[in-house]
Amino acid sequence: MKKRSIFLLTAFLLAFSMFLAACSGGSETSGEKDDDNTAGTEKPKFMSILTGGTGGTYYPLGGAFANIISDETGIQTTAESSGASAENMNTLKDGNAEIAFSQTDIASYAKEGKLMFEGAAVDNVSAIGTLYPETIQIVTTTKSGIKTVEDLKGKKVSVGAPGSGTNPNAEQILEMHGMTFDDINKQDLSFDESTAGIQDGTIDAAFVTAGTPTGAVEGLSATEDVVIIPIAQDKIDALIEKYPYYVKDEVPAGTYGLADAVTTVAVQAMLVVTNDLSEDVVYEVTKAIFENLDQVAHAKGKLISAENAVNGVGIDIHPGAQKYYDEKGISPK
C-alpha cells in the first residue's frame, strides 16, 4: 500500500512537471510571436532611408543620418541607394521603406498626382523637413547676349533631361514671365550635354537645377565667361505664392567667376516619411538628426539646420516633426 502511494505521488509530480513545462513552452512561443510582429508596434526595430545614386549627395547624407538615427533612437536604420526623388516617392507609396530623400517639388507633384505622378498620387507621406537648396540656374555666356529671362524668346534653350525635375522648374519660371515652351526652341538635354552645347554653340542657354557650384557649369566656366540670368524679386514672389515649394536663393559672387551674386530661386532637398510611423518615432528621428549634425561630414551638412527645415516644404509636415519644431519655437520665415 505504501509503495502504491509513493508510485501515485511520483506519477502526479511527473504529470504536474510536464504541465508546467508545456505552459512555459507556450509562453516562450507566444513571446517569440510578439517579437516577430513588429509592423504594428509604435517603435519598429528596423527602418530604411531611400537616397539616390551612390555618386550623388543623397547617398552619403543618408548614410550619416542612418547612423545617427540608429545610435540615438535604437532603431536599426540603413541607407539604400535608389533612383532618387520620383522613385523614392513611389517606393514609400508601396510601403517598402519608411524615410526618403526627395526634392520638394517632386514631393508636391507626388502628393497632388501631377506630372509624372498623374493618376498615381502618393497620399501616405508627410515631410520631416527641408535640408539644403537645389538652385535653379539659368546658364548662358556673355557672347550669347542674353541678359534676362525674356531674352530667351526664340533661343535654343535646354530645359533638362526628359522626365527630370528641371523641366517643370523651367516651365514654371517661364510662366511667371508670361512665356511657355512654345516661346523658346526647347532642348531636352542633361546638364553635361547642356554645357557642352553652350560651349560649342549648338544651344544658347540652359536651365540647371542643382546645388552650387555645379560641376558641369564649373567645367564650362573654365573656357567661357559664364552668365547666370537673374530672376527679378516680383517674379520670385509670384512664383513662391503659386508654387510654395520654391524659396528665394542666390548664386554667390565668385561662383563660376561671377563678379556679383545673382538672385534666383531654388527647390530644396528634403526628407519625407510614411504616415504609418507614429508621432513619437518621427519626433525621435527629427530630434536625432537636427541635434547631431556635427556628425555629418559631407559639405552639405553645413547648410542643414532645424531653423530652415520648415521653409519651402510644400507638403504637410508629419505631426512628430512638427512637435519638435514647436518645442524649439521654429516657424516658417
Side-chain angles (χ1 to χ4, degrees):
M1 187 73 176
K2 183 176 181 182
K3 287 183 178 180
R4 185 178 179 186
S5 298
I6 293 172
F7 174 79
L8 290 174
L9 179 60
T10 303
F12 173 78
L13 290 174
L14 178 60
F16 186 68
S17 297
M18 291 176 67
F19 173 77
L20 289 178
C23 290
S24 176
S27 177
E28 287 174 6
T29 301
S30 175
E32 288 171 4
K33 185 177 180 181
D34 289 344
D35 287 344
D36 289 341
N37 186 24
T38 57
T41 60
E42 284 269 315
K43 191 168 184 177
K45 287 186 175 181
F46 304 99
M47 292 193 301
S48 294
I49 300 179
L50 302 172
T51 60
T54 56
T57 301
Y58 289 174
Y59 185 74
L61 279 179
F65 290 165
N67 289 336
I68 290 169
I69 293 168
S70 297
D71 292 343
E72 297 296 320
T73 70
I75 303 171
Q76 187 60 44
T77 307
T78 56
E80 298 182 12
S81 63
S82 71
S85 299
E87 179 182 310
N88 290 353
M89 296 301 293
N90 283 321
T91 303
L92 291 183
K93 178 183 179 180
D94 294 339
N96 294 324
E98 292 76 29
I99 307 172
F101 283 76
S102 175
Q103 285 186 193
T104 48
D105 53 340
I106 301 299
S108 289
Y109 304 149
K111 289 283 286 186
E112 296 168 6
K114 294 181 178 179
L115 299 176
M116 66 282 283
F117 298 96
E118 187 170 355
V122 180
D123 57 6
N124 64 328
V125 301
S126 301
I128 287 180
T130 58
L131 301 172
Y132 59 87
E134 308 235 43
T135 307
I136 290 89
Q137 306 161 75
I138 311 175
V139 183
T140 188
T141 61
T142 53
K143 65 184 181 184
S144 75
I146 298 171
K147 296 180 180 179
T148 67
V149 175
E150 288 84 357
D151 290 340
L152 295 174
K153 286 184 178 180
K155 304 293 186 181
K156 291 182 180 179
V157 182
S158 172
V159 296
S164 71
T166 302
N167 189 284
N169 296 153
E171 187 172 30
Q172 290 158 2
I173 288 170
L174 290 175
E175 176 193 349
M176 294 303 110
H177 292 80
M179 299 165 63
T180 70
F181 282 157
D182 292 338
D183 293 305
I184 63 174
N185 187 341
K186 182 172 75 75
Q187 309 291 308
D188 300 298
L189 305 173
S190 70
F191 297 160
D192 288 335
E193 291 169 335
S194 296
T195 52
I198 292 172
Q199 186 172 16
D200 62 27
T202 56
I203 68 170
D204 301 298
F207 283 80
V208 173
T209 302
T212 58
T214 305
V217 185
E218 282 191 304
L220 178 65
S221 70
T223 58
E224 302 286 342
D225 292 328
V226 165
V227 171
I228 304 296
I229 300 171
I231 302 177
Q233 185 62 53
D234 62 327
K235 300 297 191 291
I236 291 174
D237 293 340
L239 185 69
I240 293 172
E241 182 176 358
K242 184 167 185 180
Y243 304 107
Y245 40 77
Y246 284 101
V247 293
K248 183 178 179 180
D249 197 16
E250 69 173 28
V251 181
T255 309
Y256 316 130
L258 298 173
D260 300 302
V262 178
T263 303
T264 182
V265 292
V267 290
Q268 299 192 80
M270 71 186 300
L271 281 179
V272 293
V273 63
T274 61
N275 294 335
D276 289 342
L277 289 181
S278 71
E279 179 176 326
D280 289 343
V281 167
V282 177
Y283 170 83
E284 286 188 45
V285 168
T286 307
K287 179 182 176 72
I289 290 172
F290 287 114
E291 296 191 1
N292 291 278
L293 289 169
D294 59 328
Q295 297 180 35
V296 178
H298 194 282
K300 289 295 184 187
K302 296 181 176 61
L303 301 178
I304 301 171
S305 70
E307 288 70 27
N308 293 323
V310 296
N311 296 326
V313 176
I315 65 173
D316 291 338
I317 295 175
H318 192 284
Q322 189 61 57
K323 178 182 176 182
Y324 176 75
Y325 301 132
D326 289 344
E327 281 186 359
K328 295 294 182 181
I330 296 169
S331 57
K333 297 175 183 176

